[in-house]
Amino acid sequence: MSQKQLKEAFISNLNGTSLLEVSLGLPLAPLCLLCRGLLLILYYLHNGKPLSSRKYSLLLDFVVLVSPLLFSCTVLSPVIFFPPSIIAAICAGIFSKIYSQRKHGTRAPFRQIVKDFQKTYLDSEYIPAITAFRVYVNVLTSIGILAVDFPQFPRRYAKAETYGTGVMDLGVGAFIFGNALVCPEVRQKSYVTQPQFSHLAKQVFSIWPLIFLGVGRLLSVKSIEYHEHTSEYGVHWNFFFTLAFVRLAASLLLAIIPKNKSWIVAMNLAVLYQLILNITPLKTFVLHGNGKDTRVGFFSANREGLLSLFGYLAIYMASVQVGLYLMKRRNSVKDWMEAVCFLLLTVLVFFVLLHLSQAHADPVSRRMANLSYCIWVVAHCLTFFVFFVVTDLVLLFTKLLVKGSSVPSCWSVAKPPNASKKDETEAVPIRRESELSHACLISAVNKNQLLFFLLANVMTGIVNITIDTIHSKTAFTLCILHLYMFFNCLIMYTLHAKNIVLKFW
């Protein structure tokens, strides 16, 4: 077998892992973010000033925010519960130290602190959990697309061939979910002020970079005979095309249907698509083509990519509804605690629906993006997001213990709308987190998300062309993955430090 055939066989005919293992890995990224925030607060407590060195900030962010993810999907994958448990224990130790070492003059009974915390007003214009969710989906995807070509990356984490729940199967849907959370219809930018036709024209124009990247990937893959998994999207289709057409279709639907009814569209679309798969020969066509697994003609050659658009569109529309709920004005910690409870209840409902769907409709299949896949993705994305909200609330609570401390990409405390001048005078000034965003990897990646994803794809191609990844030893694999991610993060960090945003649309 040629090197191309070996690599294609290495990522083919896989069955994924259990739902439980995927769920157990979800708290890791939020715990990394919590650990970084607590370390910054502890640094401020000991030094009386925030960490201002960009060099050390980048090093801290990479070691705490990225490196544990690399280890957890390679050498620590046999004990997936171990990394979150260790980091949670470290976070508990740091919090305990902060609580015991805070200034005596600011000490108050713990019960009183909790009451004051619940009444705390927040800067409602910014929801850091959305940013953290989208950035980490991007980072995890970037790790996965290269790590999957190394033997240290468990085959059960890779994309399943037909049915199954691999970690990378979740990543694809989470990318769609994250894009919809900040779409123009959710943010309501230009949606209300511009005429409908003008808004649609702007959305059509805005997808040209994705089309361009999709064509560029297609031409480069075919020209250098790069290994590809045909049953993933088809012969000519790729994920950039999926992102573009899902966004375009969603904009057209949202121009006709009220935004607050998008959950109805999502539900009807997913259920109708599943019914068609079950009662017509469509499922057989997606899996086997015209009976002989042939790929003659454009539609048959790209049947997975084209037909899965219905499932991804359902995920996108569901995420629009979630985004609208999250964008409701919430001024206090108590409001967000209520929102977390509601989201957890929603997650519970989705997991019940997932059990019913798998039992009576079809198991999870990313290849078809069927009903079970849509429910699975939305349930896990909501769970992942809730972890980030809880992380932000814990960091905010800790910041209130240490007056003047700051954590980038975290909630800012706002003054109550009815605050008197006396209160304003006596209040301890709290540094806005945006002042420290220049020293934050989360903000850096967030500013150039599409560029980060593109850079990761290019670097993945370069590594695969130059290195025999399949036969790499463990130490060499970890070294390559760390260098690859550090290079990508360094480019984003440098651009952010110079306030450069590479966006031409």
Side-chain angles (χ1 to χ4, degrees):
M1 293 177 71
S2 67
Q3 188 73 7
K4 179 176 181 289
Q5 291 172 324
L6 277 173
K7 290 193 173 185
E8 286 175 352
F10 192 57
I11 56 175
S12 301
N13 301 313
L14 304 172
N15 299 314
T17 184
S18 65
L19 290 170
L20 179 61
E21 186 171 17
V22 177
S23 300
L24 286 174
L26 291 180
L28 180 59
L31 283 169
C32 291
L33 194 62
L34 177 61
C35 186
R36 190 279 301 258
L38 291 174
L39 285 171
L40 290 174
I41 295 172
L42 184 64
Y43 179 89
Y44 179 87
L45 184 63
H46 285 174
N47 296 277
K49 61 180 181 179
L51 180 64
S52 56
S53 169
R54 291 181 177 178
K55 179 174 65 176
Y56 291 125
S57 293
L58 173 61
L59 186 61
L60 173 68
D61 282 1
F62 185 79
V63 170
V64 180
L65 299 181
V66 179
S67 194
L69 307 178
L70 290 168
F71 282 105
S72 68
C73 69
T74 51
V75 292
L76 295 180
S77 58
V79 282
I80 188 62
F81 62 88
F82 186 71
S85 302
I86 292 297
I87 296 177
I90 293 172
C91 289
I94 298 171
F95 178 82
S96 177
K97 192 169 186 179
I98 291 171
Y99 186 78
S100 62
Q101 293 184 1
R102 60 202 170 97
K103 293 180 181 178
H104 290 277
T106 59
R107 290 193 174 183
F110 186 78
R111 186 175 296 177
Q112 185 60 43
I113 295 172
V114 172
K115 285 183 180 179
D116 293 341
F117 171 66
Q118 290 178 340
K119 297 175 184 176
T120 301
Y121 279 81
L122 303 174
D123 183 0
S124 59
E125 294 180 2
Y126 175 55
I127 305 173
I130 293 179
T131 302
F133 174 90
R134 297 183 69 245
V135 167
Y136 260 113
V137 167
N138 207 334
V139 168
L140 289 165
T141 302
S142 300
I143 292 172
I145 59 176
L146 178 60
V148 70
D149 295 315
F150 289 90
Q152 289 74 22
F153 186 87
R155 296 301 88 195
R156 67 184 186 278
Y157 285 4
K159 291 176 182 175
E161 185 71 21
T162 302
Y163 294 105
T165 52
V167 175
M168 293 185 72
D169 291 315
L170 177 61
V172 179
F175 218 100
I176 296 286
F177 189 93
N179 275 6
L181 281 179
V182 295
C183 70
E185 291 82 4
V186 170
R187 290 177 294 154
Q188 298 185 4
K189 289 186 176 181
S190 78
Y191 188 80
V192 179
T193 56
Q194 289 185 355
Q196 202 170 72
F197 178 78
S198 176
H199 171 75
L200 283 174
K202 186 176 180 181
Q203 293 310 301
V204 171
F205 179 72
S206 69
I207 67 169
W208 77 261
L210 295 171
I211 299 293
F212 178 77
L213 291 173
V215 172
R217 177 178 170 78
L218 172 63
L219 294 177
S220 59
V221 165
K222 298 300 181 184
S223 61
I224 63 175
E225 293 191 351
Y226 189 77
H227 67 277
E228 53 184 331
H229 193 189
T230 306
S231 65
E232 200 173 316
Y233 295 105
V235 178
H236 312 101
W237 203 261
N238 58 57
F239 188 55
F240 289 111
F241 291 139
T242 295
L243 283 174
F245 283 95
V246 165
R247 182 171 173 180
L248 178 60
S251 294
L252 292 172
L253 281 173
L254 291 169
I256 303 168
I257 299 160
K259 292 182 297 178
N260 59 357
K261 304 295 183 187
S262 58
W263 70 274
I264 298 176
V265 178
M267 182 178 65
N268 288 334
L269 192 61
V271 171
L272 182 61
Y273 176 51
Q274 183 63 56
L275 284 173
I276 294 173
L277 285 172
N278 283 359
I279 65 178
T280 70
L282 187 63
K283 184 192 296 186
T284 303
F285 174 71
V286 174
L287 300 181
H288 306 293
N290 295 316
K292 300 178 182 178
D293 204 14
T294 56
R295 294 187 177 271
V296 179
F298 180 80
F299 188 74
S300 179
N302 302 285
R303 53 185 184 265
E304 293 92 348
L306 292 169
L307 291 171
S308 64
L309 287 175
F310 294 104
Y312 289 126
L313 181 57
I315 293 171
Y316 191 100
M317 296 299 288
S319 181
V320 168
Q321 188 71 54
V322 173
L324 291 172
Y325 174 75
L326 296 177
M327 291 298 176
K328 288 180 180 178
R329 192 172 184 84
R330 294 180 179 85
N331 294 321
S332 68
V333 167
K334 189 176 181 181
D335 292 339
W336 274 103
M337 291 174 74
E338 291 173 356
V340 165
C341 292
F342 177 78
L343 289 173
L344 287 174
L345 183 62
T346 305
V347 167
L348 180 62
V349 171
F350 269 103
F351 274 112
V352 171
L353 292 174
L354 176 60
H355 175 74
L356 294 173
S357 178
Q358 291 211 107
H360 301 288
D362 224 2
V364 173
S365 172
R366 175 206 46 81
R367 186 174 177 182
M368 292 182 283
N370 60 3
L371 176 62
S372 295
Y373 177 75
C374 295
I375 297 172
W376 178 63
V377 166
V378 174
H380 278 74
C381 285
L382 286 175
T383 307
F384 198 40
F385 177 79
V386 166
F387 283 140
F388 281 117
V389 175
V390 172
T391 295
D392 285 326
L393 291 174
V394 173
L395 287 175
L396 180 63
F397 181 81
T398 312
K399 286 197 300 178
L400 293 176
L401 295 176
V402 184
K403 300 297 183 182
S405 60
S406 296
V407 178
S409 299
C410 182
W411 258 314
S412 297
V413 177
K415 288 178 179 145
N418 56 349
S420 65
K421 290 184 179 180
K422 183 180 177 182
D423 293 332
E424 292 177 11
T425 305
E426 294 178 353
V428 177
I430 298 176
R431 183 189 299 262
R432 286 187 62 83
E433 314 309 325
S434 58
E435 295 176 18
L436 295 176
S437 63
H438 69 276
C440 176
L441 187 58
I442 298 293
S443 300
V445 175
N446 183 55
K447 186 169 277 189
N448 284 291
Q449 290 231 34
L450 184 58
L451 178 65
F452 182 79
F453 185 56
L454 174 61
L455 180 63
N457 275 269
V458 172
M459 291 303 299
T460 296
I462 292 173
V463 171
N464 270 288
I465 291 170
T466 56
I467 294 173
D468 179 14
T469 56
I470 297 179
H471 301 101
S472 297
K473 301 296 182 183
T474 301
F476 182 73
T477 296
L478 290 173
C479 182
I480 290 297
L481 289 176
H482 275 84
L483 287 173
Y484 154 80
M485 284 305 297
F486 187 78
F487 176 78
N488 293 343
C489 292
L490 180 62
I491 296 296
M492 296 301 106
Y493 199 84
T494 304
L495 291 174
H496 184 53
K498 297 179 181 298
N499 200 28
I500 297 174
V501 181
L502 297 179
K503 188 173 181 178
F504 309 104
W505 62 95

